């Protein structure tokens, strides 16, 4: 794909954020004849006992551990179907790698939501895009009264595997997580954030310092509206049965509109700061609170407001002090950050950004199961995410001049201009060349996290999106702004997970693990192993089962 001549004029304007159709025209990314991916979003059976895989090529023997994956795997109970991709019941996957061989197992998370739904063979617990309807076995009066009950927060933790105090949990975006055994995938403790800190939810994307201290974010809701909260979880336990004991709210940030706080999926972190992105994807709390009464899903209370800026808030990780200076940019939607670090008095904030925030509503199951022109239309009206860098100056004070670009880094085209006493307006620089447009942008970004998170880095990895789900694996070289690509027509790889080699010196010395699924062949999933440096395939392990396209995962090293 080639940039449209209007690209440079429109890119930093707010026009693209209002029109995904114009976005497609400007970036020449129309797709026609997209392959139907219905089998990738169909329910599958679990495989609770480990099964062997067929390995071709060579899987390095130094890789020892479990690739853990999470995502939806069941989309209906009885004759009731979920509406949104995010609603499906969490299915946990394990690829155990030992001595160049791979075994596979999977099971549904035994959440309360899963158990209640299974017992009644109907949807009993509301999810993001699906409201649980009153039990038809109740009389009319009881069904009527049930409308006035508050929506029960789901514990269907289908987003990711996360780690606190050395233990693995599966997480979603409510107040519930489940501790999981990474060896057996057994569902263990159900953990409620509200029992430890004053928050009503937490993200599924915490950050971890080298010493194991974890940081997360979560909203709290009270009579005076919402607050955004930074959460700090200690790295160690005082006894083996501990979960989130010792967690505390480091600080709270007041939303621009307390009754309509921003939705956020993740946040960024440097060595000394947490960076919160307050984006124009808004949550109408009144609609959400009354959703059950109105028979509407929670998702109906989430909307994109292109009239609002995106605002970056800096919080000192050590003191909890929120910077009085806020950084504004044009309306953007952000699901995942790539990395953030401090250098020469600036915070470099690297994120995958889209110019429109309506994509979350396009991921209805009925849309993902479309075919032909209808599928093309869904894709072509969905904004794609591209990697971008914002440069935030740390030394802004009352004496800092207005109207001057504060970004003095010679090789950077990003700008930061003080426009008022406590306000700096920022424009980004692209972290890619023109070749990325051909692959539909980049999402599910990953780095060599253990060595380069919060530090200057050169490489990041992700999925290209020439479809509604990832259809290529990409390696971006920030020094050269060049791509390496793994692409096979009809193959849909998952989020790439970087595993460093034991004696690694270079940043990209290791492998990439990705689970590849295809809608055209039955039981043809495989675990792909790429050399992270050369981007050449080293080997694959074919799994004789069907696996849906999932969300996030982690590598649990047993070496």
């Amino acid at each position: 794909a080639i940039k449209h001549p209007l690209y440079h004029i429109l890119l930093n304007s707010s026009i693209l954020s209002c029109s995904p159709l114009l976005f497609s025209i400007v970036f020449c990314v129309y797709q026609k004849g997209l392959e139907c991916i219905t089998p990738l979003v169909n329910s599958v059976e679990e495989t609770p006992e480990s099964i062997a895989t067929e390995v071709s090529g060579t899987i390095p023997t130094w890789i020892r551990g479990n690739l853990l994956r999470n995502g939806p795997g069941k989309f209906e109970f009885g004759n009731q179907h979920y509406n949104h991709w995010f609603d499906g019941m969490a299915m946990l996957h394990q690829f155990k790698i030992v001595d160049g061989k791979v075994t596979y197992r999977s099971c549904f998370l035994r959440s309360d939501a899963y158990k209640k739904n299974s017992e009644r063979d109907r949807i009993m617990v509301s999810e993001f895009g699906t409201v649980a309807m009153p039990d038809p076995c109740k009389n009319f009066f009881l069904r009527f009264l049930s409308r006035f009950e508050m929506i029960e927060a789901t514990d269907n933790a289908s987003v990711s595997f996360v780690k606190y105090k050395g233990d693995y949990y599966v997480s979603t975006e409510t107040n519930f997580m489940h501790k999981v055994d990474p060896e057996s995938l057994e569902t263990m403790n159900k953990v409620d954030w509200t029992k430890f800190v004053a928050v009503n939810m937490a993200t599924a994307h915490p950050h971890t310092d080298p010493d194991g201290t974890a940081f997360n974010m979560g909203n709290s809701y009270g009579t005076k509206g919402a607050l955004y909260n930074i959460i700090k979880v200690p790295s160690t336990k005082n006894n083996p049965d501990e979960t989130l004991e010792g967690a505390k709210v480091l600080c709270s940030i007041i939303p621009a509109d307390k009754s309509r706080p921003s939705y956020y999926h993740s946040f960024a972190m440097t060595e000394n700061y947490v960076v919160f992105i307050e984006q124009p994807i808004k949550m109408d709390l009144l609609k959400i609170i009354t959703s059950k009464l109105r028979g509407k899903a929670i998702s109906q209370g989430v909307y994109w407001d292109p009239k609002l800026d995106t605002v970056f808030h800096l919080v000192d990780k050590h003191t909890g002090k929120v910077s009085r200076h806020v950084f504004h940019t044009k309306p953007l939607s952000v699901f995942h950050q790539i990395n953030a670090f401090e250098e020469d008095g600036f915070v470099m904030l690297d994120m995958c950004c889209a110019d429109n925030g309506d994509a979350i509503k396009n991921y209805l199951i009925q849309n993902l199961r479309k075919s032909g022109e209808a599928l093309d239309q869904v894709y072509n009206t969905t904004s794609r995410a591209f990697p971008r860098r914002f440069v935030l100056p740390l030394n802004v004070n009352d004496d800092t001049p207005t109207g001057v670009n504060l970004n003095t880094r010679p090789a950077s085209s990003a700008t930061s201009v003080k426009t008022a006493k406590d306000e700096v307006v920022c424009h980004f620089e692209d972290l890619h060349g023109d070749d990325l447009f051909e692959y539909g942008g980049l999402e599910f970004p990953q780095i060599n996290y253990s060595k380069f998170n919060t530090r200057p880095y050169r490489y990041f990895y992700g999925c290209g999106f020439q479809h509604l789900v990832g259809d290529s694996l990409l390696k971006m070289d920030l020094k050269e702004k060049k791509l390496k690509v793994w692409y096979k027509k009809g193959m849909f790889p998952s989020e790439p997970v970087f595993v460093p080699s034991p004696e690694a010196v270079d940043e990209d010395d290791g492998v990439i693990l990705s689970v590849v699924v295809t809608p055209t062949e039955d039981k043809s999933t495989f675990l792909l192993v790429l050399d992270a440096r050369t981007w050449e395939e080293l080997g694959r392990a074919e799994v004789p089962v069907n696996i849906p396209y999932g969300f996030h995962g982690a590598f649990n090293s047993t070496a």
Side-chain angles (χ1 to χ4, degrees), residues 38-56:
T38 295
L40 306 188
V41 286
N42 278 343
S43 298
V44 298
E45 298 295 324
E46 60 185 357
T47 308
E49 300 298 326
S50 291
I51 59 173
T53 66
E54 184 176 338
V55 174
S56 58

Side-chain angles (χ1 to χ4, degrees), residues 279-521:
Q279 61 183 347
I281 302 179
K282 310 299 286 184
M283 299 186 296
D284 187 321
L285 296 185
L286 180 60
K287 284 187 175 181
I288 291 173
I289 290 170
T290 61
S291 59
K292 189 170 184 178
L293 174 63
R294 296 180 297 111
K296 301 292 184 181
I298 294 170
S299 59
Q300 298 298 307
V302 180
Y303 66 99
W304 168 250
D305 188 345
K307 300 184 299 297
L308 301 176
D309 284 353
T310 296
V311 181
F312 306 128
H313 301 268
L314 290 184
V315 178
D316 188 305
K317 285 165 55 178
H318 310 292
T319 66
K321 182 179 179 181
V322 182
S323 171
R324 68 182 176 91
H325 296 100
V326 291
F327 302 85
H328 288 246
T329 191
K330 72 188 191 77
L332 298 168
S333 69
V334 179
F335 275 83
H336 302 108
Q337 286 74 44
I338 304 168
N339 199 3
F341 60 93
E342 301 159 45
E343 193 172 64
D344 301 329
F346 298 93
V347 166
M348 260 57 70
L349 176 60
D350 298 349
M351 311 184 296
C352 292
C353 308
D355 291 298
N356 183 281
D358 281 334
I360 193 170
K361 293 191 175 181
N362 276 3
Y363 281 89
L364 299 173
I365 293 173
Q366 66 179 21
N367 286 343
L368 291 167
R369 291 176 177 172
K370 286 181 176 178
S371 61
E373 292 182 2
L375 178 60
D376 295 345
Q377 183 179 15
V378 173
Y379 178 83
N380 289 323
T381 55
T382 301
S383 291
R384 260 72 73 200
F386 289 87
R388 297 166 176 173
R389 171 171 292 176
F390 290 88
V391 179
L392 313 181
L394 289 171
N395 301 317
V396 180
N397 55 46
D398 292 342
D399 297 326
T400 302
T402 59
V404 177
N405 183 14
L406 304 178
N407 179 16
T408 56
R409 295 170 62 83
S412 174
S413 61
T415 62
S416 298
V417 178
K418 184 181 177 184
T419 57
K421 181 180 179 182
D422 297 326
E423 182 176 303
V424 177
V425 174
C426 303
H427 291 304
F428 60 81
E429 60 182 306
D430 289 330
L431 293 182
H432 63 88
D434 289 353
D435 49 357
L436 183 57
F437 291 94
E438 179 183 346
Y439 296 99
L442 184 148
E443 250 295 354
F444 292 146
Q446 292 286 306
I447 61 171
N448 183 343
Y449 191 94
S450 62
K451 298 293 185 182
F452 289 90
N453 188 51
T454 76
R455 299 168 188 163
Y457 69 114
R458 179 172 176 176
Y459 303 106
F460 65 90
Y461 317 95
C463 288
F465 274 76
Q466 295 179 91
H467 209 299
L468 289 171
V469 298
D471 71 336
S472 60
L473 291 170
L474 308 177
K475 176 185 180 180
M476 177 63 72
D477 181 341
L478 286 175
K479 184 176 180 180
E480 304 292 339
K481 289 192 177 176
K482 289 185 178 179
L483 279 179
K484 289 185 177 179
V485 180
W486 183 92
Y487 171 78
K488 304 290 182 185
K489 184 174 175 56
M491 302 290 179
F492 296 87
S494 72
E495 168 191 69
V497 174
F498 178 85
V499 182
S501 63
E503 307 298 328
V505 175
D506 296 331
E507 180 182 344
D508 59 348
D509 187 355
V511 298
I512 290 291
L513 303 179
S514 177
V515 179
V516 182
V517 295
T518 176
T520 56
E521 297 179 39

